[in-house]
Amino acid sequence: MKNYDIHQHVQGKSIFIDDMRLPAGTLHAEIFTSNIAHGIITSIDTSAALASKGVVDIFSASDIPGENQVGGMIKDESLFAESEVHYVGQPILLVVAESKLEARKALSKIKIEYDKLKPILNPREAFIKGSLIAPPVTFELGNISAVWDECDFIEEGTVESGGQEHLYLETQAAAAIPHEGEKIKVYSSTQAPTATQRVVAGILGIPMNKVEVDVLRLGGGFGGKEDQASPFAAMAALAANKLNKPVKLVLNRQDDIRITGKRHPYSSDFKIGFSHEGKILAYEVKFFQNAGAAADLSMAVLERTLFHCTNSYFIPNVKATGISCKTNVPPNTAFRGFGGPQAMFVIESAIKKISEKLDVPAYMIQQKNLLREGDEFPYGQRAENCNAKKSWNEALSKFKYEERLQSINQFNLENKFLKKGIAVMPICFGISFTSTFMNQASALVHIYTDGSIGISTAAVEMGQGVNTKIRQIAAKIFSVDISIVKIESTNTTRNANSSPTAASSGADLNGKATELACLNIKERLLNSAKEILNADLSEIKIENGSIFVNEEKKLDWEELISKSFLKRVNLSSHAYYATPKIYFDKSKSKGNAFAYHVYGTAVVETTLDCLRGTYKINSVKAVHDFGESFSKTIDLGQAEGAIIQGIGWMTMEEICHDLNGRLLSNALSTYKIPDIHFTPDEFEVHFLEGAKNPMGIFNSKAIGEPPFMYGIGAYFAILDSMKAHNKNLDYDFKAPMTPERVLLTLSKNIKTKIHK
Amino acid sequence: MSKKKGISRRNFIKGVGTGVVGSYVVVPALNNKAAKNLSDNEELQLKEGWQVLSLKVNGKKIITKVKPNTLLVDLLRNELQLTGTKVVCNQGECGGCTIILDGKPVYSCQMLALDANGKEVTTIEGLLLGEELHPLQQAFVDEDGLQCGFCTPGQIMAAYGLLLKYPDPTDEQILNGMSGNLCRCAAYPKIIKSVKAAASRIK
Ligand code: FES
Ligand code: FES
C-alpha cells in the first residue's frame, strides 16, 4: 500500500501551509530575535521599523493578553523575551506587514542594545555551575558497587555525540484566521495539535474551546514540530487576534535553523566492568545532556536515554545517571530516537573499548551480551518476545558476516590507502510514550449515506504514512474498497486532547482507536443486516463491499448503508484507545514502561580513503523486526529513510557554534545532510520472520524511529577502516565522524610516530 | 506493476502542456494590493522600475509586469499560483524549487523572473498529459518515490531535465543528475528506482 497522497504529491497539488490560498488582506509576520547568546536587553527602538513601508504593527511580550509562556512539561519558556535573552535566535518581537518582504525589511530597522552576559555553551560547564533543567535522574539495576571487584577488567571513557538539525523541508509555519466570538482558527505545521491549541489559548488568554487547530500534512517533522511548532502558531494567532486579520508566519530556512532547537548533544562518561571472556558485568554511565536554554522535552528525552542505556544487551548491574544541563543555545528538542541514539552510541563505544582490551572483534562482545527472553532491563521491565538473538543470527548468516570479514581483511592487505571497515549494529527500542498518560488516542469514524467513509484521528501525517495505514485498517474491517475511505485533516475540534504524533506510536495508538470505532459501527451494521435480511447473525458476512447470507450475495455496501440509515442506525462512532498494561513509577524509575520492544540487527560496510579522510558507505544490510507489517512499502521506506538519517547524524551532519554561541552551520550551504550519492550501493532491509506482535495493530510493530539507530554502525565501520590503516590508532569517541575528523585523527597519529 | 501504456519520447517532450498551447493569460500586476486607483499603481510601478515580462509557462503565454528584483520562484508561486514548486532553502542548495527553463533544469529561487523573459518554463503542474499522469509522475507513484512529498515536485522536475539530456541514463548519470535535490525523508533508494522506471518506460 502506498502513501495516501501520492497522486497529489507527484502533481504538486498537495497543499502545505505556504501554499494555502488565504483570504485577501492576509498579513505576513517575521520574527525579530536576539543576536547575542546571553544578556539583558537595555533598550529597544522600533520607531523606524514601525514607520517602514507596509508595516502594520509590531508585537512584544507586553502585547500578550494571556501568559507569556510556551513551556509544556516545565513552564520555563516565554514566547517573547522580556528583559533577559538566553540564546541567539530567541524571539523578542513580531513584525507584521502587508508583505513578507516589507516585514523583513523592517527587521533591520529595529535598534536594540544589551548588557552582555557570559554564555554557557558546554553542558559540563553548566553542570559545574549548577545550571540544570531539573535534578539528575538515575536508573539502577543490581548492585553496581558490589561487583567492580569481581570484574577481570574495568575500562573507562568519554563519549561525545553532536546535535542534529531536523531540516524538515517544510519550515515551521502557521496561518491564523480570526473568527466571530473571539474564536481563532490556526493552520499549523505541528505534530502536536493539542499542544499547539493549549499554547495558543494560553497566550491569548482564552479557553481552549475557542481555538481550533487544523493540520492537513507536514513536509517532514522528525520531532522538530512536536513541541516547537506551537510558538510560531501562537505568534500568528496573537497578531491575528490583535489586528482582526488573517496572519501568516512561514519561517525562512536560515531563521528556522537559527531559532529552533535540535537533537541534544551529549557528553557522557562510562565505566564498564567485564570478565576475561567479554561478559559485561557492570556498567556505570553518566549522561550530560545539552538541553539548551529551556526545558522543552529535554527531561523526557533524557529519560529515554536512560531507558536505552544498555541497548539490546543484558547487563546485570547498571547505574545510569542523566543530567539535563541548561545552556545558552536554543532549547533542544525531540528528534527521531528521542535520546535513545545518544545512549546507544555510548554503550557501543564502551563495547568497542572492551574489544580492544581483549583484542577480539567487537561483534564477539556484542554477541555474547545480547538480551534473552526474560532478561531484566534497568527499569525493571523484562524482555518479552525478545528478538535480539534471532535478528542477530539471521543477519550474520544471511549477510555472510564471516565471509565478508575475510574479504575485507584481504582487501585491506592489498590496499595501502584505501581501507574497508565493517560493523554490526543491533538495536532494541521500546515503544510507548515513556510518560504513560500520553499513550491514548481517539478516532471519529463516519459512514455517510452514500457509503463513503470519513475518518478523523489524532494522528498527523508527515510522510510516515499513518493516514494510509488508518485507511487500510478501516477498509479491512469493513471489507470495502480502500478508495471509499477518506482521511480528514487532524483537527482539535474533531479529536480533542490528543497526544502528539511522536514516539513512533502514531499508527499504533490511532490505528487501534480507528479499529475500535470501525468495530462499533460494524456490529451495528451486522445487526441491521440481520433485521433487513431476516437472517441469523452467524449467517451474515460483509465482504468486498457486499453483504452475504450463507455465501449468497444479498446487498451492496451502499444499499446496506442507506437502508440502515432509514432504520435509524447510528453510522458514526467515536472511539478511544489507551495502551493497556503499561505503567512507570518515576519515583523509583521502575515499571513496565513499554508496550513492546522493536529489535533488529544491521551490518554496515565502509571504504575509507586514508589520504583524504573521505569515505563511502558501501553497504547497509539489516534484518529488522517489523512485527507483521501490513504496509510493507511504507514500512520499508521508513526504515531506509531512518537509516540514512541516522548515518547522517553519525557522519556528516555537524552543528557548529562560535565562542559567542552564534550558530555557524546556519544554512544548507554549511550544514550538510545526506544527498542521493550517500545512498549505500548495497542497501537491504529484510523483514524478520515470525515476529508477531499482539500489542500492535494487526500484529505489526512501530517503525518510525528504531531503524535510525542502525546508523550508529556507520561510525564504527569507519572507525574499523581507520584502525585497518593504523592498528594502534589513538582516537576519541566523538561523533559526527566527518571526513575532517577522520583526517585529523589519522594525521595526529602520524605525527606521534614521527616524533618518537 | 503499472498498466499504463508506454509513451514515446516524442510525446514525452511534446506532451507538456499541449492542452493549453496558444492560450493567453495576462496577470494583473499588484494583484493583492488594495491600490486606490490605477494611476497610483502606475506611479508606484514607475518608481520601482517595474518591467514588462513575457514568457511561456506550461504552454501558456504570460504577459505581466514585475518588480526587477522579483524571483522567478515568487512569480510562479505568488503571481501565477503554481505552488507545486517549493521554496526550501532559497539558496540554491536543495533543488526544491527546480523547474525546467528552455529544456534545462534550473533552481527558480536563484533566478530573477526577468531572466525568464522570452523563455519557456515548465513546472510540475505542466507535466500532466491531459488527465493522465506523465510517465515520470507515474513512475514515482509506482515505485513509491517519496514520503512527505515536499521535495517531490523538485525531484520530478530534476528527473525530467535529466531524462531530456540522457534518455537512457547510467546509474552514475542518475546520481549526478539528482544530486542537487535533497530529500530529508531520505527516500533516495526509491527515487533512484523511480527515475530508472521512468527511463525504461519512456524509451
Ligand atoms: S529553494 Fe531553490 S535550491 Fe533550495
Ligand atoms: S519526501 Fe520528504 S523530503 Fe523528500
Side-chain angles (χ1 to χ4, degrees), chain B residues 86-97 107-109:
Chain B
K86 304 295 180 211
V87 178
V88 176
C89 70
N90 225 350
Q91 230 189 10
E93 292 279 349
C94 75
C97 61
Y107 291 163
S108 60
C109 76

